[in-house]
């Protein structure tokens, strides 16, 4: 018999009634599909980038020196439109937002 001991600070449990926006604001990482009781591993916090008019994944990726595919993967390939939020890694940023 063994006992599983987990580092609680490394994980987050979704509480009943929490929205994706609340979780993403608290953890500063993309939450993906959520449901009550789901365990999310806390990753490296990310910068939130608000999309400006006429920007797309390619323009943003070049501006922030991140590959377009990495940017799409971090944001689950969601559509990009002005004022939408995208997650961008801190370490790769080189311009201020």
């Amino acid at each position: 018999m063994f006992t599983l001991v987990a580092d609680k600070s490394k994980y987050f449990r979704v509480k009943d009634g929490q929205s994706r926006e609340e979780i993403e604001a608290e953890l500063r990482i993309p939450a993906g599909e959520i449901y009550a009781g789901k365990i999310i591993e806390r990753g490296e916090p990310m910068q939130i980038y608000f999309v400006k008019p006429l920007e797309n994944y390619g323009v943003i990726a070049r501006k922030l020196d991140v590959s377009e595919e990495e940017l799409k993967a971090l944001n689950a390939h969601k559509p990009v439109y002005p004022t939408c939020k995208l997650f961008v890694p801190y370490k790769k940023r080189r311009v201020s937002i």
Side-chain angles (χ1 to χ4, degrees), residues 31-81:
E33 181 184 351
I34 62 161
Y35 50 86
K38 179 178 180 181
I39 304 292
I40 300 173
E41 185 173 354
R42 294 176 189 260
E44 180 181 325
M46 297 186 191
Q47 180 71 32
I48 295 175
Y49 179 84
F50 289 93
V51 178
K52 295 168 187 66
L54 303 176
E55 288 186 327
N56 59 34
Y57 278 116
V59 170
I60 297 165
R62 283 189 298 279
K63 181 189 272 188
L64 302 175
D65 196 27
V66 179
S67 80
E68 186 175 349
E69 287 306 312
E70 179 183 6
L71 192 58
K72 285 180 180 179
L74 285 173
N75 292 283
H77 296 271
K78 73 178 182 181
V80 176
Y81 54 89

Side-chain angles (χ1 to χ4, degrees), residues 14-33:
V14 177
K15 296 165 193 71
D16 192 28
Q18 280 186 308
S19 69
R20 175 178 288 113
E21 291 78 22
E22 291 172 334
I23 294 166
E24 288 177 344
E26 183 176 337
L27 301 178
R28 298 191 67 81
I29 60 170
E33 181 184 351

